[in-house]
Amino acid sequence: MNLPAPLLDKDGVRLTVDDAIATVSLTNPDKRNVQSPALWRALGEAGRALPGSVRVVVVRGEGKSFSAGLDRRAFTPEGFDGEPSFLDLARGGDDVLDATIAEYQDAFTWLRRSDILSVAAVQGHAIGAGFQLALSCDLRVVADDVQFSMRETSLGLVPDLTGTHPLVSLVGYARALEICVTGRYVHADEAVRSGLANVSVPAGELADATQDLVAALVAAPRDAVIETKALLQGASDRTLDDQRTAERAAQGRRLRDLAGLGD
């Protein structure tokens, strides 16, 4: 079987596209797909490189772990080659620090775009930044050996890669606070029960289960999916009456399009 040539393959990130389906792979399994600023920039570049034909993005990690989180070199004086260390950033001005963290966050936020659906296929460790990458996706399929953990607080930091909002939305404030402050592992059974994961399967079936879900997502009409995602994304910020209004407007657009009366 001929695999499509990567559109991007750099700094531990590979992007391949097969018609409506894009796959973003973390490609450093020997180091459990640890993350770095260079990897985050590559993730952001992958999002910008998506062709308009893409409807579903699968995020996966090669090897036994999805991602073991931030590369600890970030906390050393040397940092990464050609990069300021986190210690250097801390000594800089607030504006520079804020802008730098915002750039890191951009690597995660594009997965929530309204014109795509994103699916994380998660096995083994998904720690810290790895956990937040999985949380950035709309849906999560997990292997039965998955170990989610938010370790930032135990390191004297806070989760800052956009994972706190979806975590609270999925499991509620009290459970999210407990998970973050204790840094404990959340395993597959709890992940499914609490809403963190859509489904758990044996590790050897992760790829097939993800493929089955993706096929079901692509089967639905694209415009209806986009409208539905937008409705659901905004539901928690709307009153019931506002949500009713949004539903009517979205359905009106769909009916006009189906009748050939759209713009």
Side-chain angles (χ1 to χ4, degrees):
M1 178 171 138
N2 293 325
L3 298 176
L7 295 185
L8 179 144
D9 194 354
K10 62 188 292 188
D11 297 321
V13 175
R14 181 186 303 118
L15 168 66
T16 57
V17 174
D18 185 2
D19 193 19
I21 302 166
T23 302
V24 176
S25 300
L26 306 185
T27 60
N28 191 8
D30 291 343
K31 293 189 175 181
R32 296 191 298 169
N33 297 313
V34 292
Q35 299 184 29
S36 67
L39 181 143
W40 295 333
R41 282 194 292 272
L43 277 175
E45 189 175 339
R48 293 188 293 274
L50 285 184
S53 61
V54 170
R55 296 185 54 191
V56 177
V57 178
V58 176
V59 181
R60 59 181 292 274
E62 294 183 351
K64 295 183 177 180
S65 292
F66 178 73
S67 173
L70 182 63
D71 190 326
R72 294 299 181 89
R73 286 182 294 170
F75 299 106
T76 66
E78 298 79 16
F80 305 98
D81 291 342
E83 301 270 1
S85 71
F86 280 17
L87 300 177
D88 292 332
L89 289 174
R91 297 185 186 103
D94 289 344
D95 289 347
V96 173
L97 184 58
D98 184 76
T100 301
I101 295 174
E103 180 189 11
Y104 297 161
Q105 291 173 329
D106 288 343
F108 297 73
T109 52
W110 69 268
L111 289 161
R112 301 180 175 92
R113 280 170 32 185
S114 61
D115 61 323
I116 59 173
L117 297 179
S118 51
V119 180
V122 189
Q123 79 284 1
H125 293 97
I127 297 174
F131 192 3
Q132 294 187 76
L133 180 58
L135 286 166
S136 295
C137 294
D138 297 308
L139 307 170
R140 281 153 295 282
V141 180
V142 302
D144 56 7
D145 66 350
V146 74
Q147 298 181 67
F148 289 116
S149 178
M150 202 73 83
R151 291 291 175 85
E152 286 83 352
T153 306
S154 61
L155 297 173
L157 302 171
V158 300
D160 66 340
L161 297 172
T162 77
T164 56
H165 188 280
L167 183 61
V168 172
S169 297
L170 290 166
V171 305
Y173 162 75
R175 181 64 59 86
L177 179 64
E178 179 247 330
I179 288 172
C180 289
V181 173
T182 65
R184 69 173 178 85
Y185 287 119
V186 177
H187 299 281
D189 288 347
E190 181 184 354
V192 173
R193 288 197 312 271
S194 65
L196 276 175
N198 294 82
V199 64
S200 168
V201 297
E205 300 175 15
L206 181 61
D208 288 342
T210 302
Q211 185 176 5
D212 289 345
L213 175 59
V214 169
L217 297 175
V218 173
R222 181 170 196 171
D223 289 342
V225 170
I226 291 172
E227 292 277 12
T228 301
K229 179 174 179 178
L231 274 175
L232 296 176
Q233 282 182 317
S236 62
D237 297 324
R238 300 188 189 106
T239 65
L240 175 59
D241 283 344
D242 288 342
Q243 186 70 2
R244 290 174 61 203
T245 300
E247 289 174 356
R248 294 196 300 272
Q251 193 71 302
R253 288 190 293 271
R254 296 305 314 126
L255 289 171
R256 284 190 293 273
D257 285 345
L258 291 173
L261 300 174
D263 295 337

